[in-house]
Amino acid sequence: MYDKRIAKYLVKIANSDAINFATFLTFLPESLQEDVQHNVTIKPQKGGLSLVEISCKRVNEQLKQLTIEPNNRVEATELGDSHKVNTSTSYLLAYHENSNSIHPDTIVINIDGINCNFKQKQHVIIVENSELFFAREIMLEKINLIFGLKLSLKNTDLLYGSGNQVTNKLNKEFLSQYESTLCFFDYDLGGLKIFKALKNMLGEKAKFLEPTSGNLRKYFIKKPEKESQYLKALTSAEELGLMTLHSLLLSETAFMEQEVILAFE
């Protein structure tokens, strides 16, 4: 089970730097946690940190194996966690100007290139929610009404982001061919994380569709499961420069799911 966080802790241990030992343990497989606890010397330091020394060669070797990054999902599966590595193939679902049925086009992307059967527009909008995606005509009508835009499939392609799927590194070449990528995600921590990943991938081409006024205020009704999620969302919105969204999150202390725009009047 590869986890790059373990490697950072092991470097600190090797350099005799103090660590939070309890946190370190949570990153380890349960089968290894007890073994580590039985073969460690701990010297408490200030601030809840400790100097840690693991004397057992066998345990150190097991820990070292957790820092080796798999090269592909097959290798990751053998190590116990294929989800730590991107797939060798990615796909995206799209509606475009020539879409004439409910069935979207499928773009298949792998190391050999991009398989796309339509000509890309200059602009694209990505939605996170499947209900919005398949209600494309109503969705675009509502977005235009809410945000004062003039989007249509004649000037903009529509992609289904499928959560984090859209942030797969394989998608970069395809998405980079658009002049602008408009991101309409849930107004919550998850949506902000997806946007941040796309912004890191595409730079200024990635734009977040945030509220331009208070006309969506009454839809901020989804209470965060944890206070930490809410606080992280506030911080993320501010760091990304989404200050209108930040103000709404601050005043409403709630999130908004994107599909509620279908009820907007």
Side-chain angles (χ1 to χ4, degrees):
M1 186 186 74
Y2 165 74
D3 191 326
K4 62 183 178 182
R5 295 171 296 184
I6 295 174
K8 293 180 180 179
Y9 274 92
L10 291 181
V11 169
K12 288 185 176 181
I13 291 172
N15 292 334
S16 298
D17 294 331
I19 66 167
N20 187 316
F21 182 65
T23 300
F24 171 62
L25 282 179
T26 64
F27 297 143
L28 304 181
E30 289 186 12
S31 59
L32 186 55
Q33 289 178 9
E34 186 174 351
D35 216 359
V36 169
Q37 288 177 297
H38 288 164
N39 290 279
V40 68
T41 301
I42 299 174
K43 296 180 180 178
Q45 305 292 305
K46 294 181 179 179
L49 303 180
S50 301
L51 292 176
V52 173
E53 182 180 352
I54 302 171
S55 56
C56 179
K57 184 177 181 181
R58 174 183 55 81
V59 172
N60 275 313
E61 186 59 34
Q62 287 180 286
L63 290 170
K64 184 179 179 182
Q65 290 299 314
L66 299 178
T67 68
I68 301 173
E69 184 173 5
N71 293 315
N72 53 59
R73 284 176 74 90
V74 174
E75 186 175 314
T77 300
E78 293 173 350
L79 292 174
D81 196 347
S82 64
H83 298 287
K84 294 290 185 180
V85 178
N86 277 330
T87 59
S88 59
T89 301
S90 181
Y91 71 91
L92 297 167
L93 300 182
Y95 285 122
H96 51 88
E97 184 176 10
N98 295 322
S99 297
N100 52 20
S101 77
I102 194 172
H103 300 287
D105 269 44
T106 303
I107 304 112
V108 179
I109 308 165
N110 56 36
I111 58 174
D112 296 321
I114 301 168
N115 187 331
C116 177
N117 295 322
F118 64 92
K119 184 178 180 180
Q120 292 173 250
K121 298 294 187 183
Q122 292 180 329
H123 311 288
V124 65
I125 180 169
I126 304 174
V127 296
E128 181 184 352
N129 181 273
S130 60
E131 186 172 349
L132 276 187
F133 177 73
F134 287 109
R136 61 191 186 278
E137 293 180 1
I138 298 175
M139 180 206 69
L140 290 173
E141 178 185 323
K142 296 293 186 181
I143 284 180
N144 289 338
L145 179 63
I146 294 167
F147 299 98
L149 301 175
K150 295 181 179 180
L151 301 179
S152 75
L153 293 180
K154 292 182 178 180
N155 58 35
T156 304
D157 293 332
L158 170 63
L159 294 180
Y160 173 44
S162 187
N164 283 320
Q165 164 67 17
V166 72
T167 66
N168 189 310
K169 293 178 181 179
L170 289 171
N171 297 331
K172 181 177 181 179
E173 184 180 353
F174 175 78
L175 293 175
S176 294
Q177 293 179 24
Y178 289 104
E179 289 186 9
S180 69
T181 297
L182 190 59
C183 304
F184 183 45
F185 304 145
D186 289 339
Y187 294 144
D188 63 8
L189 181 59
L192 289 167
K193 283 183 175 181
I194 297 171
F195 173 64
K196 183 176 181 180
L198 284 172
K199 191 171 180 64
N200 288 338
M201 178 191 293
L202 303 172
E204 294 304 312
K205 287 185 176 182
K207 308 292 183 183
F208 191 81
L209 189 56
E210 68 170 327
T212 55
S213 66
N215 61 359
L216 290 175
R217 185 182 302 275
K218 67 179 181 180
Y219 298 110
F220 279 74
I221 57 175
K222 182 183 178 183
K223 293 299 181 181
E225 293 181 5
K226 299 178 180 179
E227 183 182 9
S228 59
Q229 289 181 332
Y230 171 68
L231 295 175
K232 287 179 181 178
L234 277 176
T235 300
S236 183
E238 185 173 19
E239 290 176 347
L240 291 166
L242 305 173
M243 298 314 299
T244 303
L245 176 58
H246 180 272
S247 296
L248 282 168
L249 292 174
L250 198 59
S251 64
E252 304 308 307
T253 62
F255 297 143
M256 189 194 99
E257 296 176 303
Q258 60 178 196
E259 61 265 34
V260 300
I261 69 163
L262 295 177
F264 184 88
E265 295 180 354

